[in-house]
Amino acid sequence: MSAMFLTVPPFECAWREDLKFREAGRGCVAFEAFACNDVTLVFRENVGSQGYHYKRDSSPHYTIILGSHRNRRLRIEVNGKTVVDVVGVGLCCSSSFQSYWISIYDGLISIGNGKYPFQDVVFQWLDSCPNCNVQYIGLSSWDKHVKYRNVNVLSLTHTHMPLSKHVVFGDYQVEEELDAADSFNYKHMDYDKWGLKNFLESWDLSDVLFIVGEEQKPVPSHKAILAASGNFPVCSSSFVINIPTVPYPLFHALLHYIYVGWTQIPREQLGSLRALSIQFEVMPLVKQCEETMERLKLDKKWLDTGKNVELTYPSIRPHCSTLPSLPISIHQLKQLKLTGQFSDVSIYIESYGLIAQAHKIVLSLWSIPFARMFTNGMSESVSSEVTLRDVPPEAFRAMLDCLYDGQLHDKVIDSGALLLQLLLLADQFGVTFLQQECCKMLLECLSEDSVCPLLQVVSSIPSCRLIKESLQRRISMNFDYYTSASTDFVLLDETTLVNIIKHPDLTVTSEEKVLNAILMFGMNSKELFGWEVVDALIVNSRPELLFGERLQLVHDLLPFVRFPLLQYSLLEKLQNSNIGQHIPVFQNLVNEAINFVKCGLAGLENEENVRFQHRRSSYKELQYICDGDDHGVLYFAGTSYGEHPWVNPLLAEPRKITITASSPHSRYTDPKVLVSRTYQGTCFAGPRLENGQNCTWWMVDLGQDHQLMCNYYTLRQDGSKAFPRCWNIQGSQEGKSWTNLKVHENDRSVCKPGQFASWPIVGPNALLPFRYFRVVLTGPTTDATNPWNFCICYLELYGYFL
């Protein structure tokens, strides 16, 4: 709460150079105060010194004390002499913040209670010898602390003079605003309830005042919003606009439609509302009034009075008061931003300079932190300049564009780095819709190399919980790749790594991968290595030096390695390793695993211990032995994954896999041949045009429940001499975007009809699981007659199958 109000200690006075009237001798200050007594404001010609107190001030000044004499009186002093001392007026409130306003106009001092300046006047006094030079405002106290907040300085014009002389303006029911402490507790509030409706007829950030009806009802508003929704008689220099012929309820209905997106009006006043909408050129409301009137003419009860009709602006989200759901021209709003018309804040970035001339109301309707900044009574709320620190200029400019038109631009979407910076800014300033859009775009354009860096950023952003969980699960399900392709995972925070290691969907080809990842993370490694490197380093060192502050985390994570699932030969190596001699918990876990392998289950406690259980999503290793063997994935599918003797998997019911070709099915383009295990003299896939080029391929779909980390594959040439020379084997998750697993350029391995040929797949992509695989020609074969026919009669894939 310390950032929400200013506390003035006893016998002190707080001064700010920007807490001043725009015109000397004329101005109004509205504020909230929390005090037992003596809420004191000083009005001087110059800023007071650090040790200033009004009792020692010999220069010309006014002092106004609310709740003097132990909260029993109101006092006004001129140059230190008491000129007003009345009982029971303008008293303080010691249980909560209370709203006040004080205006000075050529010696006329007006004091009022409430949130709305120029209303609820409780006292006025006219100085016969007015000081027309007072300009600076000091916030002071007497013998107890006084807390101030929401301090706003308003300028006065000649049109306020008759207004200020009226104590009573008529009784109108004004909807209570949210308490500031609740409104700006943005970490816990419902952002769906925030929007332009929070500023309807609010003095906060208002820069124009309508004096409505014969009773002179003051109605504050905002020039930028009015200019973007119609043609109101506002200009940069005017503050007060008189419309005495318009009844307040009618004008309120018009503003409610603009600020909230809907309004209610008695049937008999529809014509008047239409006329007012035409006058101010609020064309969406004109159209709706006319349509409603035509519809009601068909109703026999058209002339019934007293019944209201609701007019709602047509939008995707009705009754939502953000820009896309309001009758506000986005184009016109962007023009205001471009020209700076009606701008009330210049935003600077430290070490960069001026970044934009913006409108406080537009920023605040999207962002509660911005609204808080502009209305909390501190320097930003009374100044027309704001300087931001540690903010990337390009990202901030992109955020402003989004705030004015409600959408992300292509330039941002196409730049991952800018999108990430924009996400951080959206979180910093509480722009919820922008956070959601950034998260959505980041997930859509996510690449394998950007997963860990993105997770590193969003882990500290509470509002990105869903994207964080999605990324953690993605790493867990592709653990081998993300811990073997790079060391980016080492930069994750400890909690995130623990969540990944403990994730129920953690998928690994070997528990050795988990052990290696924990040791690399513990050493904060910049290079990839296995446990053998740590075993060699620890001989001449100590765990405290190798792992530093992360040693305890290593101790905590080692029990999540399922050592009993490791091969016995590897367990023996680990048992005799130097790591076990220096890290007791490691040695105990290895010994436990060896005893388990030797003796089996020792008791029910082992059955319930996850360390002795296979992971829910463990891979089955299908290892290449020789050409044409029965250890591959397609053969395994023909046995219903080990359930019965082999049959052609394309003939089995239900079908386990699917194979398709680039050309239509025919006598010599038969997918069953590739998995039949019988030699076929003629079998080929013909070319098709894709993106204007010849493309020939055979594709395998393992089914929606299965994936493969492919590390080997085998082809067999049919009886022709159309030998392939340039082709790729590729993998895909959805069958549309393809990742190259191995690229063959001028490969002469196949040189005889009926020949088998096999190749290993190495590199990081061999650790990525895919559902779809295809072999695709990238160049012509050796057959001059049909160079784009891919002539193979056998295909097999190997690796880790899930």
Side-chain angles (χ1 to χ4, degrees), residues 5-258:
F5 51 73
L6 174 68
T7 301
V8 179
F11 309 109
E12 293 192 14
C13 189
W15 296 93
R16 290 181 180 273
E17 290 190 3
D18 50 4
L19 203 59
K20 57 182 283 190
F21 294 153
R22 293 183 183 178
E23 182 181 3
R26 296 177 178 181
C28 176
V29 57
F31 61 96
E32 295 177 48
F34 182 106
C36 296
N37 52 265
D38 293 273
V39 173
T40 306
L41 276 77
V42 182
F43 300 85
R44 301 180 82 244
E45 298 176 6
N46 301 294
V47 175
S49 63
Q50 185 175 2
Y52 172 89
H53 194 269
Y54 64 90
K55 288 294 185 183
R56 300 188 297 268
D57 191 354
S58 58
S59 62
H61 67 280
Y62 290 122
T63 303
I64 300 172
I65 307 170
L66 307 175
S68 179
H69 292 78
R70 300 299 175 186
N71 201 27
R72 291 194 294 268
R73 310 178 75 85
L74 166 69
R75 292 181 63 189
I76 300 178
E77 298 180 359
V78 178
N79 304 333
K81 295 181 180 180
T82 301
V83 294
V84 172
D85 188 356
V86 296
V87 177
V89 176
L91 301 182
C92 306
C93 180
S94 60
S95 60
S96 64
F97 277 95
Q98 183 152 329
S99 301
Y100 307 92
W101 59 267
I102 300 174
S103 71
I104 298 179
Y105 191 99
D106 295 343
L108 175 64
I109 297 178
S110 303
I111 301 168
N113 282 327
K115 299 179 180 180
Y116 307 104
F118 319 119
Q119 293 191 73
D120 300 323
V121 177
V122 296
F123 189 82
Q124 287 183 311
W125 176 77
L126 181 62
D127 188 358
S128 58
C129 299
N131 182 346
C132 295
N133 297 315
V134 293
Q135 191 168 11
Y136 290 90
I137 306 166
L139 308 176
S140 188
S141 63
W142 182 239
D143 60 343
K144 288 183 172 59
H145 288 78
V146 179
K147 297 177 181 179
Y148 295 90
R149 74 177 182 190
N150 293 340
V151 183
N152 290 290
V153 180
L154 307 175
S155 58
L156 295 180
T157 64
H158 292 286
T159 54
H160 281 85
M161 274 300 293
L163 180 66
S164 65
K165 293 179 180 179
H166 293 278
V167 176
V168 180
F169 296 93
D171 295 327
Y172 290 94
Q173 294 298 321
V174 181
E175 196 172 313
E176 284 296 321
E177 295 180 88
L178 293 172
D179 180 80
D182 295 328
S183 299
F184 300 127
N185 191 8
Y186 55 90
K187 291 186 178 180
H188 303 287
M189 77 169 291
D190 184 359
Y191 273 85
D192 288 338
K193 296 180 181 178
W194 186 257
L196 191 58
K197 63 184 177 184
N198 296 81
F199 299 94
L200 174 63
E201 298 187 22
S202 169
W203 289 97
D204 287 339
L205 310 180
S206 62
D207 52 3
V208 62
L209 182 68
F210 289 92
I211 307 302
V212 183
E214 295 178 356
E215 62 276 24
Q216 294 187 308
K217 166 69 177 176
V219 179
S221 191
H222 308 85
K223 293 178 180 179
I225 300 301
L226 299 179
S229 57
N231 185 15
F232 288 79
V234 295
C235 62
S236 300
S237 59
S238 65
F239 177 73
V240 176
I241 299 173
N242 283 287
I243 46 175
T245 60
V246 178
Y248 168 72
L250 200 63
F251 190 70
H252 172 77
L254 175 68
L255 288 185
H256 198 280
Y257 183 81
I258 294 171

Side-chain angles (χ1 to χ4, degrees), residues 432-456:
T432 308
F433 101 93
L434 189 54
Q435 285 178 290
Q436 294 170 349
E437 286 299 308
C438 288
C439 288
K440 176 184 174 182
M441 292 301 168
L442 284 169
L443 286 176
E444 287 182 359
C445 64
L446 197 63
S447 66
E448 301 300 340
D449 295 335
S450 63
V451 171
C452 285
L454 177 58
L455 180 55
Q456 183 183 355

Side-chain angles (χ1 to χ4, degrees), residues 405-620:
D405 57 26
Q407 62 182 358
L408 279 176
H409 293 188
D410 292 339
K411 177 184 176 182
V412 178
I413 296 173
D414 296 338
S415 173
L418 184 58
L419 201 57
L420 199 56
Q421 290 178 337
L422 194 57
L423 173 62
L424 294 176
L425 278 182
D427 174 72
Q428 179 181 346
F429 292 102
V431 187
T432 308
F433 101 93
L434 189 54
Q435 285 178 290
Q436 294 170 349
E437 286 299 308
C438 288
C439 288
K440 176 184 174 182
M441 292 301 168
L442 284 169
L443 286 176
E444 287 182 359
C445 64
L446 197 63
S447 66
E448 301 300 340
D449 295 335
S450 63
V451 171
C452 285
L454 177 58
L455 180 55
Q456 183 183 355
V457 172
V458 302
S459 292
S460 59
I461 303 177
S463 57
C464 294
R465 179 180 58 84
L466 293 179
I467 189 173
K468 179 175 71 173
E469 291 175 356
S470 175
L471 294 174
Q472 288 178 352
R473 184 172 185 270
R474 181 164 180 161
I475 294 176
S476 298
M477 296 184 67
N478 301 280
F479 192 81
D480 283 25
Y481 176 83
Y482 289 108
T483 58
S484 302
S486 75
T487 58
D488 287 346
F489 76 97
V490 173
L491 302 177
L492 299 174
D493 62 83
E494 297 179 4
T495 302
T496 300
L497 183 72
V498 170
N499 291 339
I500 292 171
I501 297 289
K502 294 170 64 176
H503 202 285
D505 291 330
L506 180 66
T507 306
V508 291
T509 55
S510 169
E511 293 298 316
E512 187 178 6
K513 298 284 188 181
V514 184
L515 174 61
N516 291 340
I518 292 172
L519 295 177
M520 281 189 283
F521 187 85
M523 290 182 62
N524 200 15
S525 174
K526 296 181 179 179
E527 297 179 359
L528 295 168
F529 55 74
W531 65 269
E532 299 91 340
V533 173
V534 181
D535 191 58
L537 292 173
I538 207 168
V539 174
N540 300 314
S541 184
R542 295 179 316 197
E544 293 80 2
L545 296 177
L546 279 181
F547 300 109
E549 295 179 352
R550 293 187 172 183
L551 177 59
Q552 184 58 50
L553 181 66
V554 172
H555 287 165
D556 295 340
L557 288 178
L558 282 174
F560 292 101
V561 181
R562 302 188 181 184
F563 287 97
L565 304 184
L566 292 171
Q567 294 182 355
Y568 186 77
S569 58
L570 178 56
L571 286 173
E572 287 183 320
K573 291 181 181 179
L574 295 175
Q575 187 180 40
N576 299 319
S577 67
N578 298 308
I579 300 175
Q581 297 176 17
H582 289 79
I583 303 179
V585 65
F586 179 89
Q587 190 68 46
N588 293 337
L589 291 168
V590 173
N591 291 339
E592 177 187 59
I594 290 177
N595 291 335
F596 173 79
V597 174
K598 284 183 177 180
C599 308
L601 290 174
L604 290 177
E605 67 276 4
N606 286 341
E607 292 182 357
E608 298 174 358
N609 193 324
V610 294
R611 289 203 302 277
F612 299 90
Q613 301 172 10
H614 283 277
R615 295 190 185 275
R616 188 174 69 187
S617 53
S618 295
Y619 283 97
K620 177 178 179 61

